[in-house]
Amino acid sequence: MRLDKYLSLANIGSRKEVKKIIRQKRVSVNGALTADDDIHIDPYIDEVRVDDEKLTVILDVYILLNKPNGVVSATSDEMHKTVLECIDASLPQGCFPVGRLDIDTEGLLLITNDGDLAHRLLSPKRKVDKVYLVKSRNPIEQDTIIKLESGVDIGDETLTLPAKVECTDETTVRLTIQEGRYHQVKRMFAACGNEVTYLKRISMGPLQLDENLKCGQWRFLSESEVEKLKNG
Ligand code: URA
């Protein structure tokens, strides 16, 4: 991140004001004074001081992980590798996965320290679309499609909300749901007498799984992805 951007995020002043402060040689990076406003720093590693006062800025972090099978959606776990342990970069305190994917579910998982955004994405009232690629043990009957589209009794107090079903072949569908109940997709298929054999999340609201990310790989979200999530 550019030094001047970092300083303005730390509320030192506007971009114009911080450029002036840097040119006045009041800013040091790792102990060395700098007059250069377009140098890049690593906000998680480098020590930045203004007038010898250390800055501590907790930046919002937004990470897209293509979750692999065998990893748990938790911040710590005694038995299994966690999704946070898939991120081989230094993260600020307080990062967590937004919602849970089962240990054997793959695909899109957002990791952040932005509690407000997570709350909005997970709020049942907001009905955020989650799209899953689902493979099933048995062919998906017309009757099952009708049930999924109209609401399924999975043993909760209410039926599931109507899902959108797009069949790819006789045992594969793209399923769009707007809730996040425990094991929801697996329970919806079980309630229709079928069984999920493979499950992968491919989008959540406006955020799409990046085709270039192999299972287990991650990247930071772009500014436009973050904007879309916040405005969605
Ligand atoms: N539904 C499930 O059954 N499992 C998941 O991981 C996500 C949705």
Side-chain angles (χ1 to χ4, degrees):
M1 177 184 292
R2 279 177 60 114
L3 180 59
D4 56 356
K5 180 169 183 190
Y6 182 74
L7 292 178
S8 51
L9 284 173
N11 290 324
I12 297 299
S14 65
R15 270 311 246 285
K16 202 170 154 198
E17 286 160 347
V18 301
K19 277 177 195 289
K20 196 168 152 201
I21 292 171
I22 296 169
R23 272 188 242 115
Q24 290 168 337
K25 281 213 158 190
R26 291 166 55 194
V27 180
S28 68
V29 178
N30 300 325
L33 285 172
T34 177
D36 190 356
D37 56 23
D38 71 357
I39 59 167
H40 282 71
I41 57 137
D42 183 330
Y44 304 115
I45 296 174
D46 294 327
E47 185 187 279
V48 179
R49 288 174 180 261
V50 177
D51 298 333
D52 215 26
E53 288 239 357
K54 189 175 163 195
L55 299 186
T56 39
V57 184
I58 299 183
L59 298 170
D60 287 341
V61 168
Y62 303 93
I63 287 172
L64 171 61
L65 169 69
N66 185 353
K67 179 193 169 297
N69 188 346
V71 169
V72 288
S73 301
T75 50
S76 66
D77 192 275
E78 296 200 342
M79 296 261 289
H80 299 100
K81 183 173 175 178
T82 69
V83 289
L84 287 192
E85 289 166 338
C86 293
I87 314 302
D88 49 353
S90 56
L91 294 179
Q93 292 274 311
C95 287
F96 58 90
V98 178
R100 283 171 185 267
L101 292 178
D102 297 336
I103 189 165
D104 56 353
T105 301
E106 295 181 355
L108 180 149
L109 191 69
L110 173 65
I111 293 173
T112 186
N113 54 352
D114 182 343
D116 290 341
L117 178 68
H119 183 72
R120 272 185 274 132
L121 288 170
L122 297 176
S123 164
K125 281 192 212 135
R126 293 206 173 233
K127 298 201 174 122
V128 173
D129 279 350
K130 269 85 57 177
V131 183
Y132 291 89
L133 175 76
V134 190
K135 291 185 191 285
S136 62
R137 170 130 357 254
N138 304 311
I140 299 154
E141 310 287 348
Q142 193 55 33
D143 187 40
T144 295
I145 297 174
I146 292 168
K147 276 192 196 157
L148 296 171
E149 285 176 339
S150 48
V152 187
D153 181 357
I154 58 172
D156 291 345
E157 277 178 13
T158 54
L159 300 185
T160 57
L161 288 177
K164 184 170 164 202
V165 185
E166 297 157 89
C167 293
T168 315
D169 63 44
E170 60 171 11
T171 56
T172 312
V173 290
R174 273 169 67 100
L175 184 79
T176 306
I177 59 173
Q178 296 180 319
E179 301 164 288
R181 303 191 200 179
Y182 183 63
H183 294 328
Q184 178 160 344
V185 176
K186 291 174 186 163
R187 287 162 69 207
M188 287 168 82
F189 274 66
C192 297
N194 207 333
E195 187 193 339
V196 172
T197 55
Y198 176 77
L199 189 58
K200 178 179 183 177
R201 184 157 64 191
I202 48 186
S203 71
M204 183 178 197
L207 186 62
Q208 306 279 333
L209 183 61
D210 184 333
E211 307 255 306
N212 298 316
L213 289 181
K214 300 202 183 87
C215 253
Q217 290 187 328
W218 64 275
R219 65 166 171 79
F220 291 107
L221 294 197
S222 66
E223 283 182 18
S224 82
E225 286 172 318
V226 174
E227 281 308 302
K228 279 189 207 150
L229 275 177
K230 288 186 174 177
N231 298 330

